[in-house]
């Protein structure tokens, strides 16, 4: 199996109607969608997903934002998936994101920054298991 990463199209981008354009951008860059759904996180679930950031000053706002509307989590397969996807989405702060990156194109702020990407293979594994059972993956 090729490496994979876990992404979430975040509430701001879903609400703005950018899901189709963002998926097209991702697929055009060579990623294969292995699992995908439209769902809404409870605050408890959003808090669990971002547990690693629980001590950060932005945590409570982040949890509120991530549970404020529907999101689209996906498992994306590609050689070098984690690093290539981080390059594709750009810096956390869209003001610092490179031209042509998903965050530069679609993010509204450092918090409402359109999309998530796993930061390591280990976290990709944990995050994919957070959202998807083995039965929800397709080839
Ligand atoms: O998502 P990424 O890995 O680029 O950034 P992070 O440092 O892991 O932070 C997770 C998320 O918290 C970001 O994507 C933002 O939505 C949010 N955040 C924030 O609201 N304010 C910050 N100063 C940093 C991050
Ligand atoms: Mg991160």
């Amino acid at each position: 199996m090729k490496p994979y990463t876990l992404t979430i199209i975040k509430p701001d981008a879903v609400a703005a109607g950018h899901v189709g354009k963002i998926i097209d951008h991702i697929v055009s860059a060579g990623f294969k969608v292995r699992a995908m759904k439209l769902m809404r996180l409870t605050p408890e679930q959003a808090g669990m997903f971002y547990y690693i950031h629980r001590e950060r000053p932005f945590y409570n706002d982040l949890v509120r934002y991530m549970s404020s509307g529907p999101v689209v989590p996906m498992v994306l397969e590609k050689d070098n998936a984690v690093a290539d996807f981080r390059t594709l989405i750009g810096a956390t702060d869209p003001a610092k994101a490179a031209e042509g990156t998903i965050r530069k194109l679609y993010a509204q702020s450092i918090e409402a920054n359109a999309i998530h990407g796993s930061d390591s293979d280990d976290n990709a594994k944990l995050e994919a298991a957070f959202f998807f059972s083995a039965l929800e993956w397709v080839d």
Side-chain angles (χ1 to χ4, degrees), residues 24-58:
D24 182 44
H25 195 120
I26 292 168
V27 170
S28 298
F31 291 84
K32 179 179 171 184
V33 180
R34 295 291 310 278
M36 172 166 70
K37 61 185 157 195
L38 175 70
M39 65 175 300
R40 184 163 175 172
L41 292 166
T42 66
E44 291 72 24
Q45 290 166 338
M48 240 183 281
F49 183 80
Y50 278 121
Y51 189 70
I52 192 164
H53 291 315
R54 66 193 175 283
E55 305 293 347
R56 307 287 289 279
F58 58 79

mmCIF file of all heavy atoms in Angstrom, residues 24-58:
data_model
loop_
_atom_site.group_PDB
_atom_site.id
_atom_site.type_symbol
_atom_site.label_atom_id
_atom_site.label_comp_id
_atom_site.label_asym_id
_atom_site.label_seq_id
_atom_site.Cartn_x
_atom_site.Cartn_y
_atom_site.Cartn_z
ATOM 1 N N ASP A 24 -10.938 18.841 -6.668
ATOM 2 C CA ASP A 24 -10.335 18.857 -8.010
ATOM 3 C C ASP A 24 -8.849 19.206 -7.935
ATOM 4 O O ASP A 24 -8.007 18.575 -8.580
ATOM 5 C CB ASP A 24 -11.087 19.864 -8.887
ATOM 6 C CG ASP A 24 -10.546 19.883 -10.309
ATOM 7 O OD1 ASP A 24 -10.302 18.791 -10.854
ATOM 8 O OD2 ASP A 24 -10.352 20.974 -10.866
ATOM 9 N N HIS A 25 -8.522 20.197 -7.119
ATOM 10 C CA HIS A 25 -7.135 20.626 -6.911
ATOM 11 C C HIS A 25 -6.292 19.457 -6.388
ATOM 12 O O HIS A 25 -5.181 19.191 -6.867
ATOM 13 C CB HIS A 25 -7.156 21.774 -5.887
ATOM 14 C CG HIS A 25 -5.908 22.581 -5.795
ATOM 15 N ND1 HIS A 25 -5.861 23.929 -6.043
ATOM 16 C CD2 HIS A 25 -4.648 22.224 -5.452
ATOM 17 C CE1 HIS A 25 -4.623 24.371 -5.856
ATOM 18 N NE2 HIS A 25 -3.868 23.357 -5.500
ATOM 19 N N ILE A 26 -6.845 18.717 -5.410
ATOM 20 C CA ILE A 26 -6.129 17.607 -4.771
ATOM 21 C C ILE A 26 -5.925 16.451 -5.758
ATOM 22 O O ILE A 26 -4.812 15.899 -5.871
ATOM 23 C CB ILE A 26 -6.917 17.138 -3.525
ATOM 24 C CG1 ILE A 26 -6.883 18.217 -2.437
ATOM 25 C CG2 ILE A 26 -6.391 15.809 -3.007
ATOM 26 C CD1 ILE A 26 -7.861 17.981 -1.282
ATOM 27 N N VAL A 27 -6.972 16.103 -6.478
ATOM 28 C CA VAL A 27 -6.889 14.978 -7.421
ATOM 29 C C VAL A 27 -5.958 15.343 -8.585
ATOM 30 O O VAL A 27 -5.168 14.513 -9.047
ATOM 31 C CB VAL A 27 -8.306 14.585 -7.911
ATOM 32 C CG1 VAL A 27 -8.232 13.590 -9.060
ATOM 33 C CG2 VAL A 27 -9.120 13.993 -6.754
ATOM 34 N N SER A 28 -6.026 16.584 -9.027
ATOM 35 C CA SER A 28 -5.151 17.027 -10.120
ATOM 36 C C SER A 28 -3.677 16.983 -9.723
ATOM 37 O O SER A 28 -2.804 16.884 -10.584
ATOM 38 C CB SER A 28 -5.505 18.456 -10.553
ATOM 39 O OG SER A 28 -6.819 18.489 -11.036
ATOM 40 N N ALA A 29 -3.401 17.064 -8.427
ATOM 41 C CA ALA A 29 -2.016 17.001 -7.940
ATOM 42 C C ALA A 29 -1.542 15.563 -7.750
ATOM 43 O O ALA A 29 -0.418 15.349 -7.271
ATOM 44 C CB ALA A 29 -1.902 17.774 -6.626
ATOM 45 N N GLY A 30 -2.384 14.604 -8.090
ATOM 46 C CA GLY A 30 -1.931 13.208 -8.078
ATOM 47 C C GLY A 30 -2.331 12.393 -6.863
ATOM 48 O O GLY A 30 -1.878 11.258 -6.704
ATOM 49 N N PHE A 31 -3.171 12.944 -6.004
ATOM 50 C CA PHE A 31 -3.641 12.186 -4.840
ATOM 51 C C PHE A 31 -4.870 11.368 -5.218
ATOM 52 O O PHE A 31 -5.725 11.831 -5.980
ATOM 53 C CB PHE A 31 -3.995 13.135 -3.689
ATOM 54 C CG PHE A 31 -2.800 13.820 -3.090
ATOM 55 C CD1 PHE A 31 -2.288 14.982 -3.659
ATOM 56 C CD2 PHE A 31 -2.172 13.298 -1.971
ATOM 57 C CE1 PHE A 31 -1.182 15.618 -3.130
ATOM 58 C CE2 PHE A 31 -1.056 13.922 -1.430
ATOM 59 C CZ PHE A 31 -0.561 15.080 -2.006
ATOM 60 N N LYS A 32 -4.933 10.154 -4.653
ATOM 61 C CA LYS A 32 -6.080 9.283 -4.890
ATOM 62 C C LYS A 32 -6.937 9.234 -3.628
ATOM 63 O O LYS A 32 -6.425 8.978 -2.533
ATOM 64 C CB LYS A 32 -5.576 7.880 -5.242
ATOM 65 C CG LYS A 32 -6.661 6.870 -5.492
ATOM 66 C CD LYS A 32 -6.042 5.533 -5.856
ATOM 67 C CE LYS A 32 -7.106 4.447 -5.893
ATOM 68 N NZ LYS A 32 -6.526 3.128 -6.145
ATOM 69 N N VAL A 33 -8.231 9.498 -3.776
ATOM 70 C CA VAL A 33 -9.134 9.477 -2.625
ATOM 71 C C VAL A 33 -9.455 8.029 -2.262
ATOM 72 O O VAL A 33 -10.003 7.287 -3.070
ATOM 73 C CB VAL A 33 -10.436 10.246 -2.919
ATOM 74 C CG1 VAL A 33 -11.362 10.201 -1.702
ATOM 75 C CG2 VAL A 33 -10.145 11.686 -3.322
ATOM 76 N N ARG A 34 -9.083 7.630 -1.052
ATOM 77 C CA ARG A 34 -9.330 6.252 -0.585
ATOM 78 C C ARG A 34 -10.529 6.155 0.350
ATOM 79 O O ARG A 34 -11.113 5.090 0.529
ATOM 80 C CB ARG A 34 -8.087 5.713 0.136
ATOM 81 C CG ARG A 34 -6.857 5.541 -0.732
ATOM 82 C CD ARG A 34 -7.008 4.409 -1.736
ATOM 83 N NE ARG A 34 -7.460 3.162 -1.119
ATOM 84 C CZ ARG A 34 -6.665 2.288 -0.479
ATOM 85 N NH1 ARG A 34 -5.377 2.514 -0.410
ATOM 86 N NH2 ARG A 34 -7.163 1.200 0.064
ATOM 87 N N ALA A 35 -10.879 7.267 1.007
ATOM 88 C CA ALA A 35 -12.050 7.317 1.887
ATOM 89 C C ALA A 35 -12.482 8.769 1.975
ATOM 90 O O ALA A 35 -11.648 9.672 1.896
ATOM 91 C CB ALA A 35 -11.709 6.783 3.271
ATOM 92 N N MET A 36 -13.809 8.989 2.118
ATOM 93 C CA MET A 36 -14.328 10.366 2.136
ATOM 94 C C MET A 36 -15.728 10.371 2.725
ATOM 95 O O MET A 36 -16.491 9.448 2.504
ATOM 96 C CB MET A 36 -14.371 10.901 0.702
ATOM 97 C CG MET A 36 -15.070 12.233 0.545
ATOM 98 S SD MET A 36 -14.746 13.007 -1.073
ATOM 99 C CE MET A 36 -15.657 11.940 -2.158
ATOM 100 N N LYS A 37 -16.048 11.426 3.488
ATOM 101 C CA LYS A 37 -17.439 11.615 3.915
ATOM 102 C C LYS A 37 -17.711 13.064 4.278
ATOM 103 O O LYS A 37 -16.775 13.843 4.505
ATOM 104 C CB LYS A 37 -17.798 10.702 5.080
ATOM 105 C CG LYS A 37 -17.006 10.894 6.358
ATOM 106 C CD LYS A 37 -17.415 9.799 7.364
ATOM 107 C CE LYS A 37 -16.341 9.566 8.388
ATOM 108 N NZ LYS A 37 -16.555 8.305 9.122
ATOM 109 N N LEU A 38 -19.006 13.404 4.300
ATOM 110 C CA LEU A 38 -19.477 14.710 4.779
ATOM 111 C C LEU A 38 -20.085 14.483 6.156
ATOM 112 O O LEU A 38 -20.941 13.606 6.313
ATOM 113 C CB LEU A 38 -20.530 15.256 3.820
ATOM 114 C CG LEU A 38 -21.217 16.562 4.221
ATOM 115 C CD1 LEU A 38 -20.264 17.746 4.143
ATOM 116 C CD2 LEU A 38 -22.423 16.819 3.306
ATOM 117 N N MET A 39 -19.622 15.244 7.148
ATOM 118 C CA MET A 39 -20.103 15.023 8.518
ATOM 119 C C MET A 39 -19.935 16.298 9.321
ATOM 120 O O MET A 39 -19.293 17.249 8.881
ATOM 121 C CB MET A 39 -19.284 13.911 9.186
ATOM 122 C CG MET A 39 -17.830 14.324 9.371
ATOM 123 S SD MET A 39 -16.803 13.147 10.265
ATOM 124 C CE MET A 39 -17.663 13.076 11.834
ATOM 125 N N ARG A 40 -20.545 16.314 10.503
ATOM 126 C CA ARG A 40 -20.310 17.436 11.417
ATOM 127 C C ARG A 40 -19.751 16.897 12.729
ATOM 128 O O ARG A 40 -20.298 15.950 13.295
ATOM 129 C CB ARG A 40 -21.606 18.194 11.669
ATOM 130 C CG ARG A 40 -21.381 19.409 12.529
ATOM 131 C CD ARG A 40 -22.538 20.370 12.460
ATOM 132 N NE ARG A 40 -22.341 21.476 13.394
ATOM 133 C CZ ARG A 40 -23.106 22.536 13.439
ATOM 134 N NH1 ARG A 40 -24.112 22.662 12.609
ATOM 135 N NH2 ARG A 40 -22.867 23.497 14.314
ATOM 136 N N LEU A 41 -18.659 17.475 13.184
ATOM 137 C CA LEU A 41 -18.039 17.070 14.449
ATOM 138 C C LEU A 41 -18.767 17.725 15.615
ATOM 139 O O LEU A 41 -19.125 18.907 15.542
ATOM 140 C CB LEU A 41 -16.573 17.519 14.481
ATOM 141 C CG LEU A 41 -15.608 16.825 13.518
ATOM 142 C CD1 LEU A 41 -14.305 17.608 13.437
ATOM 143 C CD2 LEU A 41 -15.346 15.389 13.938
ATOM 144 N N THR A 42 -18.954 16.986 16.701
ATOM 145 C CA THR A 42 -19.393 17.605 17.951
ATOM 146 C C THR A 42 -18.187 18.350 18.537
ATOM 147 O O THR A 42 -17.034 18.056 18.187
ATOM 148 C CB THR A 42 -19.859 16.549 18.963
ATOM 149 O OG1 THR A 42 -18.724 15.754 19.336
ATOM 150 C CG2 THR A 42 -20.961 15.666 18.392
ATOM 151 N N PRO A 43 -18.423 19.293 19.464
ATOM 152 C CA PRO A 43 -17.280 19.936 20.131
ATOM 153 C C PRO A 43 -16.369 18.904 20.804
ATOM 154 O O PRO A 43 -15.141 19.062 20.789
ATOM 155 C CB PRO A 43 -17.943 20.852 21.158
ATOM 156 C CG PRO A 43 -19.283 21.156 20.580
ATOM 157 C CD PRO A 43 -19.714 19.902 19.860
ATOM 158 N N GLU A 44 -16.955 17.856 21.378
ATOM 159 C CA GLU A 44 -16.153 16.824 22.040
ATOM 160 C C GLU A 44 -15.243 16.125 21.025
ATOM 161 O O GLU A 44 -14.062 15.867 21.288
ATOM 162 C CB GLU A 44 -17.051 15.783 22.723
ATOM 163 C CG GLU A 44 -17.802 16.306 23.927
ATOM 164 C CD GLU A 44 -18.946 17.267 23.578
ATOM 165 O OE1 GLU A 44 -19.474 17.221 22.439
ATOM 166 O OE2 GLU A 44 -19.297 18.091 24.454
ATOM 167 N N GLN A 45 -15.786 15.808 19.863
ATOM 168 C CA GLN A 45 -14.989 15.140 18.822
ATOM 169 C C GLN A 45 -13.903 16.064 18.277
ATOM 170 O O GLN A 45 -12.755 15.641 18.062
ATOM 171 C CB GLN A 45 -15.902 14.665 17.689
ATOM 172 C CG GLN A 45 -16.806 13.508 18.095
ATOM 173 C CD GLN A 45 -17.927 13.277 17.098
ATOM 174 O OE1 GLN A 45 -18.306 14.160 16.327
ATOM 175 N NE2 GLN A 45 -18.470 12.072 17.094
ATOM 176 N N ALA A 46 -14.240 17.345 18.052
ATOM 177 C CA ALA A 46 -13.237 18.307 17.568
ATOM 178 C C ALA A 46 -12.127 18.460 18.614
ATOM 179 O O ALA A 46 -10.942 18.541 18.272
ATOM 180 C CB ALA A 46 -13.902 19.650 17.266
ATOM 181 N N GLY A 47 -12.518 18.490 19.883
ATOM 182 C CA GLY A 47 -11.542 18.594 20.964
ATOM 183 C C GLY A 47 -10.611 17.396 20.998
ATOM 184 O O GLY A 47 -9.406 17.542 21.270
ATOM 185 N N MET A 48 -11.161 16.226 20.727
ATOM 186 C CA MET A 48 -10.347 15.007 20.693
ATOM 187 C C MET A 48 -9.364 15.045 19.521
ATOM 188 O O MET A 48 -8.195 14.692 19.656
ATOM 189 C CB MET A 48 -11.267 13.794 20.519
ATOM 190 C CG MET A 48 -11.206 12.782 21.632
ATOM 191 S SD MET A 48 -12.275 11.397 21.211
ATOM 192 C CE MET A 48 -13.863 12.097 21.646
ATOM 193 N N PHE A 49 -9.858 15.461 18.359
ATOM 194 C CA PHE A 49 -8.996 15.497 17.177
ATOM 195 C C PHE A 49 -7.798 16.416 17.398
ATOM 196 O O PHE A 49 -6.676 16.099 16.986
ATOM 197 C CB PHE A 49 -9.789 15.942 15.937
ATOM 198 C CG PHE A 49 -8.964 15.918 14.691
ATOM 199 C CD1 PHE A 49 -8.733 14.728 14.017
ATOM 200 C CD2 PHE A 49 -8.360 17.075 14.219
ATOM 201 C CE1 PHE A 49 -7.927 14.686 12.892
ATOM 202 C CE2 PHE A 49 -7.555 17.039 13.086
ATOM 203 C CZ PHE A 49 -7.337 15.847 12.427
ATOM 204 N N TYR A 50 -8.044 17.553 18.039
ATOM 205 C CA TYR A 50 -6.967 18.540 18.253
ATOM 206 C C TYR A 50 -6.411 18.487 19.677
ATOM 207 O O TYR A 50 -5.842 19.474 20.160
ATOM 208 C CB TYR A 50 -7.468 19.946 17.920
ATOM 209 C CG TYR A 50 -7.433 20.256 16.433
ATOM 210 C CD1 TYR A 50 -8.592 20.592 15.738
ATOM 211 C CD2 TYR A 50 -6.233 20.225 15.717
ATOM 212 C CE1 TYR A 50 -8.555 20.878 14.373
ATOM 213 C CE2 TYR A 50 -6.183 20.520 14.370
ATOM 214 C CZ TYR A 50 -7.347 20.849 13.705
ATOM 215 O OH TYR A 50 -7.297 21.147 12.366
ATOM 216 N N TYR A 51 -6.544 17.335 20.334
ATOM 217 C CA TYR A 51 -6.100 17.157 21.726
ATOM 218 C C TYR A 51 -4.651 17.602 21.919
ATOM 219 O O TYR A 51 -4.287 18.170 22.949
ATOM 220 C CB TYR A 51 -6.263 15.684 22.117
ATOM 221 C CG TYR A 51 -6.033 15.418 23.575
ATOM 222 C CD1 TYR A 51 -6.939 15.872 24.540
ATOM 223 C CD2 TYR A 51 -4.906 14.725 24.021
ATOM 224 C CE1 TYR A 51 -6.736 15.633 25.887
ATOM 225 C CE2 TYR A 51 -4.694 14.488 25.371
ATOM 226 C CZ TYR A 51 -5.611 14.937 26.297
ATOM 227 O OH TYR A 51 -5.403 14.704 27.626
ATOM 228 N N ILE A 52 -3.822 17.356 20.909
ATOM 229 C CA ILE A 52 -2.397 17.710 20.979
ATOM 230 C C ILE A 52 -2.197 19.213 21.219
ATOM 231 O O ILE A 52 -1.180 19.641 21.760
ATOM 232 C CB ILE A 52 -1.681 17.244 19.689
ATOM 233 C CG1 ILE A 52 -0.163 17.324 19.841
ATOM 234 C CG2 ILE A 52 -2.131 18.051 18.478
ATOM 235 C CD1 ILE A 52 0.580 16.531 18.782
ATOM 236 N N HIS A 53 -3.209 20.019 20.817
ATOM 237 C CA HIS A 53 -3.114 21.477 20.967
ATOM 238 C C HIS A 53 -3.860 21.987 22.209
ATOM 239 O O HIS A 53 -4.089 23.203 22.333
ATOM 240 C CB HIS A 53 -3.686 22.176 19.731
ATOM 241 C CG HIS A 53 -2.856 21.996 18.492
ATOM 242 N ND1 HIS A 53 -1.491 22.123 18.481
ATOM 243 C CD2 HIS A 53 -3.211 21.697 17.212
ATOM 244 C CE1 HIS A 53 -1.033 21.908 17.245
ATOM 245 N NE2 HIS A 53 -2.051 21.632 16.468
ATOM 246 N N ARG A 54 -4.228 21.071 23.146
ATOM 247 C CA ARG A 54 -5.116 21.463 24.260
ATOM 248 C C ARG A 54 -4.572 22.583 25.134
ATOM 249 O O ARG A 54 -5.345 23.314 25.753
ATOM 250 C CB ARG A 54 -5.471 20.248 25.118
ATOM 251 C CG ARG A 54 -4.290 19.641 25.857
ATOM 252 C CD ARG A 54 -4.643 18.275 26.411
ATOM 253 N NE ARG A 54 -3.478 17.628 27.011
ATOM 254 C CZ ARG A 54 -2.492 17.044 26.324
ATOM 255 N NH1 ARG A 54 -2.518 17.041 24.992
ATOM 256 N NH2 ARG A 54 -1.484 16.474 26.938
ATOM 257 N N GLU A 55 -3.236 22.726 25.190
ATOM 258 C CA GLU A 55 -2.642 23.787 26.030
ATOM 259 C C GLU A 55 -2.440 25.101 25.275
ATOM 260 O O GLU A 55 -2.014 26.093 25.866
ATOM 261 C CB GLU A 55 -1.273 23.329 26.578
ATOM 262 C CG GLU A 55 -1.277 22.010 27.334
ATOM 263 C CD GLU A 55 -2.053 22.097 28.652
ATOM 264 O OE1 GLU A 55 -2.359 23.225 29.091
ATOM 265 O OE2 GLU A 55 -2.363 21.025 29.207
ATOM 266 N N ARG A 56 -2.715 25.091 23.975
ATOM 267 C CA ARG A 56 -2.444 26.299 23.182
ATOM 268 C C ARG A 56 -3.547 27.334 23.394
ATOM 269 O O ARG A 56 -4.717 26.982 23.620
ATOM 270 C CB ARG A 56 -2.345 25.947 21.685
ATOM 271 C CG ARG A 56 -1.341 24.828 21.371
ATOM 272 C CD ARG A 56 0.102 25.273 21.487
ATOM 273 N NE ARG A 56 0.475 26.168 20.410
ATOM 274 C CZ ARG A 56 0.830 25.762 19.184
ATOM 275 N NH1 ARG A 56 0.849 24.480 18.873
ATOM 276 N NH2 ARG A 56 1.178 26.642 18.262
ATOM 277 N N PRO A 57 -3.199 28.625 23.301
ATOM 278 C CA PRO A 57 -4.207 29.675 23.554
ATOM 279 C C PRO A 57 -5.370 29.639 22.559
ATOM 280 O O PRO A 57 -6.465 30.100 22.884
ATOM 281 C CB PRO A 57 -3.404 30.979 23.424
ATOM 282 C CG PRO A 57 -2.142 30.605 22.721
ATOM 283 C CD PRO A 57 -1.860 29.175 23.062
ATOM 284 N N PHE A 58 -5.143 29.080 21.370
ATOM 285 C CA PHE A 58 -6.199 29.090 20.346
ATOM 286 C C PHE A 58 -7.112 27.862 20.409
ATOM 287 O O PHE A 58 -8.033 27.735 19.611
ATOM 288 C CB PHE A 58 -5.580 29.220 18.947
ATOM 289 C CG PHE A 58 -4.590 28.130 18.578
ATOM 290 C CD1 PHE A 58 -5.016 26.879 18.157
ATOM 291 C CD2 PHE A 58 -3.217 28.378 18.648
ATOM 292 C CE1 PHE A 58 -4.104 25.889 17.811
ATOM 293 C CE2 PHE A 58 -2.295 27.385 18.318
ATOM 294 C CZ PHE A 58 -2.746 26.131 17.889
#
